[in-house]
Amino acid sequence: YGRLSNVSQQKGSSSSSSSGGATSASLSTVEVPGSKAEPLVEVGGAALAVYRGHAPGTPVWSVSSAPCGYYFATAGSDYTARIFATDRCTSVRVLSGHVSPNVNCVTWHPNCNYVVTASDDKTCRMWDIQTGRCVRLLSGSSRGLNLVRVSPSGRYAAGAGHDNVVRIWDLGNGRLVNELRPERSPGQVEGSIQSIAFSSCGAALAVSGTNCVRIWDVRGAGNHLSNPDYFAATRGPSATSSISNGLQTLTNPLSEVEQARPGTRAPTKVFQTNNVSVLDLKYTKRNLLLAVGDY
């Protein structure tokens, strides 16, 4: 994780000689956290390090550590996201390009070369941390985006907005390939999406809201029936869809093979929470889903 050279503590002590009574100052020593066994709980509650870089007086909305552990990324309300190294108290990269002051979320790509941010400007952006440049602009949302996650394979990014829709982009070309819209009964009011999480195998996407947790099968996210390119590639030019009374219908019926393709318009599992907000979701390496709620 690198040496935290900027948070080292220097301790000086003076000792009195018992024979002559003369005092001598001992040399100051540098202690690097982690170099020796220490208790896991800081008794005094003091911060081990303070990292600065965002505009003074502006909140930092999101923090994400790189899979390698040496870097971490932050997103704030000053139009920017920033990359920090654990042994430097100032940012090493400034990612600037969003047109809304609120950059709500930041997450790392599995290969550690990119980060993805979500903002109130209705876009997600993928950044090259070596150059600090935006390499993908992920658009298509009708409202601001407050969450973004990258699949374990690194191919897809899922973003959730204030319109309660989860959108999935192909990071290879930046195109929107899927939208997960949960069905709601007439008159049903649902709160905003609080958290999203990919399973460790990448086959499932968990989405939490005010009163439930939904599990979506995203194995066929790139070839979903809602993707127009999928129609053109598999059904020919006549495979078009029409919108009637808010429902999507196909001019040509789907074959049994297409109907059995992974990925559905509806979640595979729904867990009700009795109007308790689930604030965060996390999959373990064994695909066990952990949830934190407002109980």
Side-chain angles (χ1 to χ4, degrees):
Y1 293 101
R3 296 181 303 171
L4 302 179
S5 59
N6 290 293
V7 296
S8 60
Q9 299 178 352
Q10 296 183 353
K11 296 183 178 179
S13 61
S14 59
S15 60
S16 302
S17 71
S18 57
S19 59
T23 61
S24 62
S26 63
L27 295 177
S28 61
T29 59
V30 177
E31 296 181 2
V32 178
S35 61
K36 65 178 182 179
E38 296 178 352
L40 296 179
V41 178
E42 182 70 23
V43 179
L48 294 177
V50 177
Y51 300 92
R52 304 183 186 277
H54 286 280
T58 60
V60 176
W61 298 124
S62 178
V63 178
S64 178
S65 295
C68 66
Y70 180 64
Y71 298 100
F72 65 93
T74 63
S77 60
D78 58 353
Y79 295 88
T80 69
R82 296 171 185 262
I83 307 295
F84 291 85
T86 54
D87 57 357
R88 294 176 180 267
C89 61
T90 58
S91 59
V92 295
R93 288 289 184 274
V94 179
L95 311 178
S96 178
H98 283 289
V99 296
S100 171
N102 287 324
V103 182
N104 297 316
C105 187
V106 61
T107 189
W108 285 83
H109 192 279
N111 65 10
C112 297
N113 292 323
Y114 305 95
V115 295
V116 184
T117 56
S119 172
D120 280 348
D121 63 2
K122 305 178 184 179
T123 68
C124 290
R125 295 171 185 255
M126 185 167 74
W127 310 82
D128 186 339
I129 67 169
Q130 299 296 330
T131 63
R133 295 180 178 179
C134 176
V135 295
R136 290 289 183 272
L137 177 62
L138 312 177
S139 59
S141 177
S142 60
R143 299 183 63 183
L145 295 161
N146 59 342
L147 294 167
V148 64
R149 295 291 184 270
V150 178
S151 64
S153 66
R155 180 176 180 181
Y156 299 107
H162 301 296
D163 55 358
N164 294 326
V165 177
V166 178
R167 292 174 173 84
I168 299 179
W169 293 272
D170 188 336
L171 293 178
N173 51 32
R175 303 184 68 175
L176 179 66
V177 296
N178 205 336
E179 291 183 351
L180 307 180
R181 297 175 179 267
E183 296 182 357
R184 292 190 292 270
S185 59
Q188 180 182 0
V189 178
E190 186 172 349
S192 61
I193 294 175
Q194 301 290 340
S195 179
I196 56 177
F198 279 98
S199 62
S200 297
C201 63
L205 179 67
V207 181
S208 69
T210 301
N211 55 8
C212 67
V213 176
R214 295 181 173 91
I215 310 296
W216 301 79
D217 183 356
V218 292
R219 288 175 294 173
N223 295 325
H224 198 278
L225 302 181
S226 63
N227 183 4
D229 292 336
Y230 171 72
F231 286 109
T234 59
R235 301 286 293 172
S238 61
T240 58
S241 60
S242 60
I243 305 297
S244 177
N245 296 328
L247 300 177
Q248 187 178 42
T249 58
L250 304 179
T251 56
N252 291 342
L254 297 175
S255 65
E256 294 182 359
V257 176
E258 290 171 324
Q259 292 177 356
R261 185 180 293 275
T264 60
R265 293 287 292 181
T268 58
K269 193 72 175 179
V270 179
F271 300 96
Q272 299 295 332
T273 61
N274 295 327
N275 294 325
V276 174
S277 297
V278 177
L279 304 178
D280 198 11
L281 297 171
K282 177 69 175 181
Y283 272 101
T284 66
K285 293 183 178 180
R286 296 188 176 184
N287 284 336
L288 177 65
L289 180 62
L290 307 178
V292 177
D294 185 13
Y295 294 98

